[in-house]
């Protein structure tokens, strides 16, 4: 279990602060994560990597000369927000474009893609590589659906070396894609991991048993077996990976980099015992092991487990793999570095401060009054999330990574803070919702952060800053929110996501408003529909996201995102009802 923490929701931020304080030779804090504290060659491609926290030395430990130029660092097991990725990329850009590298998870894809589009809109050449090395997460015919685990290291290392050597963007991306095509990983776990503040692990493995094919976010394995001997485990790992020799290659005579990765609680000595047999098996198969890596490279908090990665080389990939690098958690060869000077650092700090200053547009008195009601609604959402954060995490951990509760908590708290500031500064309803949306997406990260940010922004667009929002405008905003979420995330009804609540809520709200009901009554009726829809997701199998490989495990349990949405819309209705009751009382006493 994780024993040392203060406030669980602040763990990631405090961890980054401590990491930078102890590794200032390599990294500096920038909005959204870390970047090199040393100078990089001008007019070279910058590699910016990232993902959720909880996997050290991925991702911040791989920032340094010869490796990544920056790392966007999300909350625990949650992708960084698009704003975080964008901010780190801006800080790391050397003038020849930015290559974004991340594991192939829904939240990471959404946020890194958003950041890529924003950078391109500013004229910065930006490309992406999503690592797909985990053979257990999808069949070979659907390799594009596989998730990225310890193979992140091999892809990022050669891409960074190519950028350091002066390769242009096209060539750097081609190298990264080639490395990804030649990287395969497979892992096992003996216990699950426990997030800070949680009483129970994200998943459990029966005593004496081993989960096979687990993910690095706490996703359960796809099978269970008795715990093998060290040699038997090596045979399982190597045997599985040798069933997937990259196309056009043969095992005999090939050169591979083996990476035996510890996931947090398996000790180095145990890994060496396993690698002893791995080395024998590779030799017996006619493979030449090049520069084996044994240790903790991509972890999962305190998970007891290990994974094996095979990176199949060619001459160019081998040269880039062996190129010098100097990062906190990965060093080889001789690297000459020069610290950034004061002008470089102060310029970055000034730009970060400027980015945080947002002007408040003019608004009517009616819209400013509506903004106060928006703040009350967000406050109610915060209260209901705070009261259910552990249960939301528990539901999410059934087949996912268990971070939904913490992510929602961080997001809604940030939204309330942003909305409070906006109201104090005289913002109207739309501006208040927009600022709350940006804060939610930025602080929550993950898929839910992006989607809730979209939802609040869409409602803000519909209500505007010039009038009192009526029922029709609010219903139109909810409809636009549903369209934006489904268009961006590609989820549809039946996929076991929050869309299974949002769509029936939208339809019920629009129908009630269309029949002439007040916003309070219409919202209340739609909230009841939402609650029923959330409960009915227990009967669905997930077809998207991290829960997809473990679909059968979630049968009988509702979707965490659907549940949190139903809770929030009911809490918001309570604020409408309270405001209506207060207005009646005032009228009666007048």
């Amino acid at each position: 279990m994780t024993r040392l923490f203060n406030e669980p929701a602040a763990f990631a931020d405090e961890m980054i602060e401590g990491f930078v304080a102890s590794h200032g030779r390599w990294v500096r804090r920038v909005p959204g994560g870390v970047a090199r504290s040393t100078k990089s060659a001008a007019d070279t491609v910058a590699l910016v990597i990232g993902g959720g926290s909880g996997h050290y030395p991925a991702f911040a430990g791989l920032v340094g000369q010869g490796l990544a130029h920056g790392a966007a660092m999300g909350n625990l097991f949650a992708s960084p927000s698009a704003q975080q990725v964008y901010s780190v990329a801006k800080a790391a850009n050397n003038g020849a474009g930015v290559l974004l590298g991340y594991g192939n998870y829904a939240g990471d894809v959404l946020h890194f893609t958003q950041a890529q589009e924003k950078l391109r809109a500013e004229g910065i050449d930006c490309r992406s590589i999503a690592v797909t090395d985990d053979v257990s997460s999808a069949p070979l015919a659907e390799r594009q659906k596989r998730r990225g685990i310890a193979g992140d290291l091999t892809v990022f290392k050669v891409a960074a070396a190519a950028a350091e050597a002066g390769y242009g963007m096209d060539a750097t991306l081609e190298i990264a894609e080639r490395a990804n095509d030649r990287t395969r990983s497979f892992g096992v776990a003996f216990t699950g991991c426990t997030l800070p503040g949680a009483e129970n692990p994200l998943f459990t493995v029966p005593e004496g048993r081993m989960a096979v094919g687990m993910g690095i976010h706490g996703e359960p394995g796809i099978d269970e077996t008795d715990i093998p001997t060290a040699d038997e485990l090596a045979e399982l790992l190597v045997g599985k990976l040798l069933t997937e020799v990259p196309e056009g290659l043969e095992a005999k005579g090939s050169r591979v980099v083996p990476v035996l990765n510890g996931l947090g609680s398996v000790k180095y000595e145990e890994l060496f015992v396993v690698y002893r047999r791995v080395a024998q098996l590779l030799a017996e198969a006619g493979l030449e092991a090049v520069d084996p890596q044994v240790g903790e490279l991509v972890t999962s908090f305190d998970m007891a487990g290990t994974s094996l990665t095979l990176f199949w080389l060619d001459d160019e990939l081998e040269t880039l793999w062996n190129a010098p690098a100097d990062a906190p958690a990965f060093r080889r060869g001789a690297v000459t570095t020069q610290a950034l000077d004061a002008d470089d650092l102060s310029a970055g700090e000034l730009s970060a401060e400027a980015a945080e200053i947002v002007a408040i547009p003019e608004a009517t008195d009616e819209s400013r009054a509506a903004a106060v009601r928006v703040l009350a609604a967000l406050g109610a959402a915060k209260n209901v999330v705070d009261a259910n954060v552990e249960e939301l995490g528990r539901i999410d951990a059934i087949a996912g990574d268990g971070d939904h509760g913490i992510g929602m908590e961080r997001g809604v708290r940030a939204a309330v803070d942003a909305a409070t500031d906006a109201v104090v500064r005289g913002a109207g309803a739309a501006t208040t919702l927009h600022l709350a949306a940006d804060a939610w997406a930025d602080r929550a990260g993950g898929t839910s952060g992006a989607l809730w940010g979209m939802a609040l922004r869409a409602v803000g667009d519909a209500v505007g800053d010039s009038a009192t929002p009526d029922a029709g405008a609010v219903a139109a905003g909810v409809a636009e929110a549903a369209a934006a979420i489904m268009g961006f995330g590609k989820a549809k009804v039946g996929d076991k996501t929050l869309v299974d609540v949002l769509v029936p809520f939208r339809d019920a709200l629009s129908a009630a408003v269309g029949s002439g009901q007040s916003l309070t009554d219409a919202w209340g009726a739609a909230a009841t529909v939402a609650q029923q829809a959330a409960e009915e997701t227990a009967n669905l199998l997930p077809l998207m996201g991290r829960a997809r490989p473990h679909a059968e495990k979630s049968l009988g349990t509702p979707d965490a995102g659907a549940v949190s949405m139903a809770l929030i819309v009911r809490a918001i209705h309570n604020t409408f009802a309270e405001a209506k009751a207060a207005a009646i009382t005032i009228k009666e006493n007048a």
Side-chain angles (χ1 to χ4, degrees), residues 3 102 144 155 180 183 289 421 463 490-491 495 525 536:
R3 298 174 177 84
Y102 50 91
Q144 75 282 359
V155 177
N180 188 46
T183 300
D421 179 68
V463 302
K490 309 303 180 187
D495 286 345
E536 290 174 352

Side-chain angles (χ1 to χ4, degrees), residues 451-515:
L451 301 185
W452 275 97
M454 286 182 178
L456 295 184
R457 179 162 285 277
V459 175
D461 289 341
V463 302
D465 275 334
S466 60
T468 300
D470 59 20
V474 173
V478 172
E480 286 300 316
I485 286 173
M486 289 190 289
F488 188 69
K490 309 303 180 187
K492 58 184 183 299
V493 173
D495 286 345
K496 196 165 188 173
T497 70
L498 62 79
V499 168
D500 290 294
V501 167
L502 179 56
V503 167
F505 175 77
R506 174 202 65 189
D507 294 344
L509 180 64
S510 296
V513 169
S515 69

Side-chain angles (χ1 to χ4, degrees), residues 138-233:
L140 183 59
E142 298 181 321
R143 277 200 61 209
Q144 75 282 359
K145 294 182 179 179
R146 288 179 171 176
R147 58 198 175 201
I149 52 175
D152 285 354
L153 173 66
T154 63
V155 177
F156 297 161
K157 172 61 178 71
V158 299
E164 204 81 29
Y167 285 36
M169 178 61 80
D170 290 342
T172 302
L173 178 59
E174 188 278 325
I175 282 292
E177 291 174 339
R178 195 193 319 167
N180 188 46
D181 288 341
R182 287 168 167 255
T183 300
R184 304 283 192 277
S185 300
F186 185 62
V188 301
F190 311 104
T191 67
C193 55
T194 305
L195 296 180
E199 295 183 357
N200 300 302
L202 295 181
F203 71 94
T204 58
V205 182
E207 187 71 25
R209 300 281 284 175
M210 177 179 76
V212 178
M214 82 310 131
I216 59 170
H217 298 90
E219 304 97 330
I222 58 175
D223 194 10
E224 273 185 14
T225 68
D226 289 337
I227 293 180
T229 65
D231 283 1
E232 289 169 342
L233 176 57

Side-chain angles (χ1 to χ4, degrees), residues 19-69:
F19 172 72
V20 172
S22 59
H23 291 83
R25 168 185 156 189
W26 295 276
V27 300
R28 59 191 169 100
R29 184 76 184 264
V30 298
V34 299
R36 290 183 184 177
S37 60
T38 55
K39 292 188 175 182
S40 302
D43 298 320
T44 55
V45 173
L47 173 68
V48 171
I49 62 177
S53 299
H55 304 302
Y56 191 84
F59 295 88
L62 303 180
V63 175
Q65 293 293 327
L67 248 164
H69 296 74

Side-chain angles (χ1 to χ4, degrees), residues 64-415:
Q65 293 293 327
L67 248 164
H69 296 74
M73 302 173 68
N75 189 30
L76 301 177
F77 293 176
S79 65
S81 69
Q83 182 60 36
Q84 287 180 287
V85 178
Y86 168 81
S87 297
V88 175
K90 290 282 285 186
N93 183 26
N94 300 316
V98 179
L99 176 62
L100 303 176
Y102 50 91
N104 187 37
Y105 298 90
D108 294 281
V109 173
L110 292 176
H111 287 292
F112 278 86
T113 299
Q114 282 186 315
Q116 175 178 276
E117 292 172 352
K118 186 173 182 179
L119 291 163
R120 286 178 174 176
E122 295 182 3
I124 297 173
D125 186 6
C126 186
R127 318 283 181 88
S128 295
I129 178 68
V131 180
T132 55
D133 60 304
D134 182 9
V135 301
S136 68
S137 54
L140 183 59
E142 298 181 321
R143 277 200 61 209
Q144 75 282 359
K145 294 182 179 179
R146 288 179 171 176
R147 58 198 175 201
I149 52 175
D152 285 354
L153 173 66
T154 63
V155 177
F156 297 161
K157 172 61 178 71
V158 299
E164 204 81 29
Y167 285 36
M169 178 61 80
D170 290 342
T172 302
L173 178 59
E174 188 278 325
I175 282 292
E177 291 174 339
R178 195 193 319 167
N180 188 46
D181 288 341
R182 287 168 167 255
T183 300
R184 304 283 192 277
S185 300
F186 185 62
V188 301
F190 311 104
T191 67
C193 55
T194 305
L195 296 180
E199 295 183 357
N200 300 302
L202 295 181
F203 71 94
T204 58
V205 182
E207 187 71 25
R209 300 281 284 175
M210 177 179 76
V212 178
M214 82 310 131
I216 59 170
H217 298 90
E219 304 97 330
I222 58 175
D223 194 10
E224 273 185 14
T225 68
D226 289 337
I227 293 180
T229 65
D231 283 1
E232 289 169 342
L233 176 57
E235 290 159 9
L236 171 67
L237 297 174
V238 173
K240 178 64 175 179
L241 293 183
L242 291 187
T243 65
E244 278 207 20
V245 177
E247 186 176 355
L249 298 178
E250 295 182 2
K252 189 173 183 178
S254 293
R255 294 164 64 81
V256 297
V257 175
V259 180
L260 186 62
N261 175 59
L263 281 154
S265 292
V266 174
K267 306 312 297 178
Y268 275 65
E269 287 85 351
E270 295 174 271
L271 294 174
F272 293 142
V273 172
V274 175
Y275 186 75
R276 161 192 157 275
R277 182 58 178 152
V278 168
Q280 294 170 356
L281 292 167
L282 295 178
E284 290 170 7
L287 289 163
E288 182 178 348
V290 176
D291 189 32
Q293 300 293 310
V294 180
E296 293 183 348
L297 298 160
V298 179
T299 62
S300 184
F301 260 106
D302 59 334
M303 183 188 290
T306 184
S307 65
L308 178 65
T309 300
L310 294 183
F311 175 35
W312 299 73
L313 299 169
D314 60 25
D315 290 343
E316 186 176 23
L317 290 172
E318 185 170 353
T319 297
L320 294 170
W321 173 259
N322 288 324
D326 185 26
F330 193 90
R331 305 173 204 171
R332 62 150 40 95
V335 174
T336 301
T337 62
Q338 182 180 358
L340 292 171
D341 56 36
D343 291 339
D344 294 324
L345 294 172
S346 62
E349 291 169 359
L350 288 173
S351 63
E353 291 173 1
E356 294 177 358
I357 300 174
V358 178
I360 300 297
E362 290 293 326
T364 63
D365 291 342
E366 293 83 2
S367 187
R368 285 196 289 269
V372 174
R373 294 196 291 276
V374 167
L375 177 57
L378 288 170
K382 172 187 173 298
N383 291 339
V384 77
V385 168
D386 285 347
N388 291 275
V389 63
E390 290 187 9
E391 176 62 8
L392 292 173
R394 185 196 68 79
I395 294 172
D396 190 39
I398 297 296
D401 53 19
D403 70 334
H404 186 71
I406 290 178
M408 290 291 291
E409 184 177 50
R410 284 168 59 96
V412 73
R413 287 181 178 182

